[in-house]
Amino acid sequence: MTFRDLNLNTPLYNAIDDLGFTTPTPIQAEAFNVVASGKDMVGIAQTGTGKTFAYMLPILKNLKFSKQDNPRILILVPTRELVVQVVDEIEKLAKYINVRVLGVYGGTNINTQKQAVAQGQDIIVATPGRLYDLAVSRVLQLKSLQRLVIDEVDVMLDLGFRHQLINIFDILPERRQNIMFSATMTEDVDHLITDFFTAPEKVSIAISGTPLENIAQTKYSVPNYYTKLNLLVHLFQDAETFNKVLVFVSNKRMADRLFEALDEFFKEELCVIHSNKTQNYRLRSIEQFREGVNRILVATDVMARGLDIDNVSHVINFDTPDYPENYMHRIGRTGRAEREGQAIIFSTEKEQDSLEKIETLMQMEIPKLEIPEGVEISEELIEEERTVIKERNNPIKRKDDDAPGPAYHEKSAKNSKENLGGSYKFKIAAKYKKPKTRGDKNYNKRNKKK
Ligand code: AMP
């Protein structure tokens, strides 16, 4: 495929020639018609794949010259650096087009930005907070908006911008096209799509299901979090084999929990990165891991994305990612530069479906290892394991509000006819989840461990 196949116009062709590009990247080829069609779109692509032009080419091709002041295109990105970078890219591509582009972000004088907005703009590139402030001040009118692009939405949600995004959705015209790009699919991203997008088309560069040959993969079936932890501690005793280990977890809460637990055993050898840590903290962690000062790095999918670290001996999937693509990204961090890498995945009973999806994508079954002797099998459960997890990937998606909440489960538990083996008094007490009398010692003893 060439740029000619995209039926662009002369100003765009000239700009592309000046840039020296010859062929569209895969995401550009895939996304072009979808963006041009006006449908909602979710693009899965990482930085460096040419995603900025993937949405800008069709947008610029279809943006008619206009003298009106209110912007028609809004591009939201998580950081001010990205605002600057995206504006820069658009200016290069729009070199021969008469289009007004403005970047706005927090931490700078809002009045200067207000003046720039008031001059009239076609495309605004913004961080969510500053965009909202400008809109609330009424200097920025969003009623003419046609297309909304949210870039790096996974990072944005990870940084806690969900509420700001929803506030912005509230003040945008309902009839608009939503386009979003994310490097990783996460539960948060999935929820946002379900809640605010209309039948979006998913465009992703087919991730190769063929893992590198020099990555040896194994799996363990592990009943729960604490047993996973025991297994991990057991494996890490062998510091010679496990000499540079990247441990992946799905969210920051789990990252903190695991970090604290491992800290007891491997204090000096351990570091962590996730989005609640400051940029400095993250950079320091990565540096220490890279240099071998720390041999264990606990990381979330989103934060570990850009990591390029050599000689990672093992990638451990402490949980089983719901999206098989994330597994492929994770294990690709080892086995680099011809070296043999090891990838290990822990899965509970509940994670078996996700594991199957991964194995289906790779068209191979990961060899299973038995939990070594000496690893204590714990029966203790963490909070998330006690609550019933909602059915995922249901084609008839229900909204969060409709999902049975804790009360539902509480009720069914209360109604279950389990023989508690005690007197009727205990049954009543259990049913109403409180001691019949304060001094009922037996009741308290019985229910303490629940
Ligand atoms: P992005 O993923 O949007 O951050 O783009 C990564 C880099 O690739 C940017 O420096 C773009 O200028 C460049 N780029 C975008 N499209 C193409 C293309 N079709 N051919 C070569 N380079 C490109």
Side-chain angles (χ1 to χ4, degrees), residues 266-437:
F266 307 102
K267 207 170 186 51
E268 303 297 323
E269 305 168 279
L270 185 68
C271 49
V272 65
I273 45 167
H274 63 67
S275 59
N276 272 10
K277 303 287 177 195
T278 62
Q279 173 102 356
N280 278 342
Y281 184 99
R282 296 199 302 252
L283 290 176
R284 197 168 58 237
S285 289
I286 292 167
E287 224 23 66
Q288 290 184 351
F289 182 62
R290 193 192 301 278
E291 284 167 9
V293 180
N294 299 126
R295 72 174 165 115
I296 305 163
L297 175 63
V298 177
T300 56
D301 288 299
V302 177
M303 280 301 136
R305 218 179 53 203
L307 282 188
D308 190 9
I309 293 172
D310 285 337
N311 300 332
V312 171
S313 68
H314 294 74
V315 164
I316 298 197
N317 296 270
F318 192 77
D319 55 32
T320 304
D322 235 356
Y323 306 94
E325 291 87 351
N326 290 1
Y327 178 78
M328 304 307 292
H329 284 308
R330 287 176 174 191
I331 68 168
R333 306 283 151 202
T334 182
R336 299 187 150 208
E338 319 271 299
R339 280 168 184 267
E340 170 98 341
Q342 304 275 336
I344 302 175
I345 183 164
F346 295 175
S347 310
T348 61
E349 186 70 40
K350 273 182 194 151
E351 290 172 324
Q352 289 307 309
D353 284 352
S354 306
L355 180 64
E356 257 171 49
K357 280 195 273 176
I358 293 168
E359 293 184 331
T360 310
L361 176 71
M362 298 193 296
Q363 293 186 311
M364 67 167 270
E365 198 176 328
I366 303 172
K368 185 173 166 175
L369 296 178
E370 293 305 322
I371 298 179
E373 267 183 45
V375 173
E376 192 196 329
I377 308 293
S378 172
E379 289 189 3
E380 204 177 331
L381 299 179
I382 55 170
E383 193 189 331
E384 291 91 326
E385 290 170 333
R386 270 177 257 157
T387 48
V388 176
I389 306 262
K390 242 182 7 205
E391 190 183 353
R392 290 193 53 76
N393 302 321
N394 185 342
I396 313 162
K397 276 217 169 116
R398 58 186 170 204
K399 285 203 132 187
D400 273 355
D401 311 350
D402 303 328
Y408 172 88
H409 299 295
E410 235 168 70
K411 191 163 161 220
S412 56
K414 271 190 252 164
N415 290 343
S416 68
K417 289 192 180 137
E418 192 192 349
N419 185 351
L420 296 174
S423 71
Y424 183 63
K425 192 169 93 177
F426 291 137
K427 284 188 206 165
I428 295 286
K431 189 165 170 181
Y432 294 101
K433 292 228 155 85
K434 59 180 182 202
K436 191 112 177 63
T437 59

Side-chain angles (χ1 to χ4, degrees), residues 9-19 96:
N9 49 33
T10 313
L12 282 172
Y13 282 130
N14 289 342
I16 289 169
D17 285 346
D18 287 359
L19 285 163
Y96 303 104

Side-chain angles (χ1 to χ4, degrees), residues 142-369:
L142 294 166
K143 58 184 179 219
S144 308
L145 200 87
Q146 295 163 353
R147 304 180 204 252
L148 167 70
V149 180
I150 316 175
D151 203 353
E152 305 223 340
V153 71
D154 49 351
V155 176
M156 216 178 267
L157 294 175
D158 219 48
L159 292 174
F161 285 154
R162 185 183 157 87
H163 278 286
Q164 266 145 322
L165 285 179
I166 293 172
N167 285 342
I168 292 171
F169 293 160
D170 268 352
I171 52 171
L172 295 182
E174 245 176 69
R175 271 179 60 93
R176 60 166 198 268
Q177 180 185 21
N178 297 302
I179 300 157
M180 94 181 187
F181 281 87
S182 186
T184 40
M185 267 311 270
T186 64
E187 264 177 52
D188 290 346
V189 174
D190 206 3
H191 284 155
L192 193 79
I193 299 168
T194 321
D195 292 348
F196 297 99
F197 280 43
T198 319
E201 200 147 314
K202 193 174 159 192
V203 174
S204 55
I205 328 168
I207 167 126
S208 158
T210 330
L212 297 172
E213 272 172 17
N214 53 347
I215 302 174
Q217 304 177 63
T218 44
K219 69 181 171 191
Y220 287 97
S221 278
V222 196
N224 49 39
Y225 168 83
Y226 282 107
T227 312
K228 285 182 177 180
L229 179 62
N230 295 343
L231 175 57
L232 200 58
V233 172
H234 178 90
L235 295 175
F236 285 170
Q237 303 296 336
D238 182 355
E240 210 175 303
T241 309
F242 289 82
N243 56 59
K244 200 167 191 181
V245 193
L246 197 48
V247 185
F248 277 103
V249 292
S250 59
N251 57 55
K252 46 195 168 196
R253 195 159 155 209
M254 196 52 117
D256 275 334
R257 179 187 275 138
L258 186 59
F259 178 77
E260 270 169 38
L262 288 175
D263 196 47
E264 266 185 50
F265 302 89
F266 307 102
K267 207 170 186 51
E268 303 297 323
E269 305 168 279
L270 185 68
C271 49
V272 65
I273 45 167
H274 63 67
S275 59
N276 272 10
K277 303 287 177 195
T278 62
Q279 173 102 356
N280 278 342
Y281 184 99
R282 296 199 302 252
L283 290 176
R284 197 168 58 237
S285 289
I286 292 167
E287 224 23 66
Q288 290 184 351
F289 182 62
R290 193 192 301 278
E291 284 167 9
V293 180
N294 299 126
R295 72 174 165 115
I296 305 163
L297 175 63
V298 177
T300 56
D301 288 299
V302 177
M303 280 301 136
R305 218 179 53 203
L307 282 188
D308 190 9
I309 293 172
D310 285 337
N311 300 332
V312 171
S313 68
H314 294 74
V315 164
I316 298 197
N317 296 270
F318 192 77
D319 55 32
T320 304
D322 235 356
Y323 306 94
E325 291 87 351
N326 290 1
Y327 178 78
M328 304 307 292
H329 284 308
R330 287 176 174 191
I331 68 168
R333 306 283 151 202
T334 182
R336 299 187 150 208
E338 319 271 299
R339 280 168 184 267
E340 170 98 341
Q342 304 275 336
I344 302 175
I345 183 164
F346 295 175
S347 310
T348 61
E349 186 70 40
K350 273 182 194 151
E351 290 172 324
Q352 289 307 309
D353 284 352
S354 306
L355 180 64
E356 257 171 49
K357 280 195 273 176
I358 293 168
E359 293 184 331
T360 310
L361 176 71
M362 298 193 296
Q363 293 186 311
M364 67 167 270
E365 198 176 328
I366 303 172
K368 185 173 166 175
L369 296 178

Side-chain angles (χ1 to χ4, degrees), residues 3 21 23-25 28 46-53 85 89:
F3 282 110
F21 298 167
T23 39
T25 65
Q28 289 165 3
Q46 305 202 322
T47 304
T49 54
K51 65 189 164 66
T52 316
F53 286 0
Q85 190 184 314
E89 293 264 294

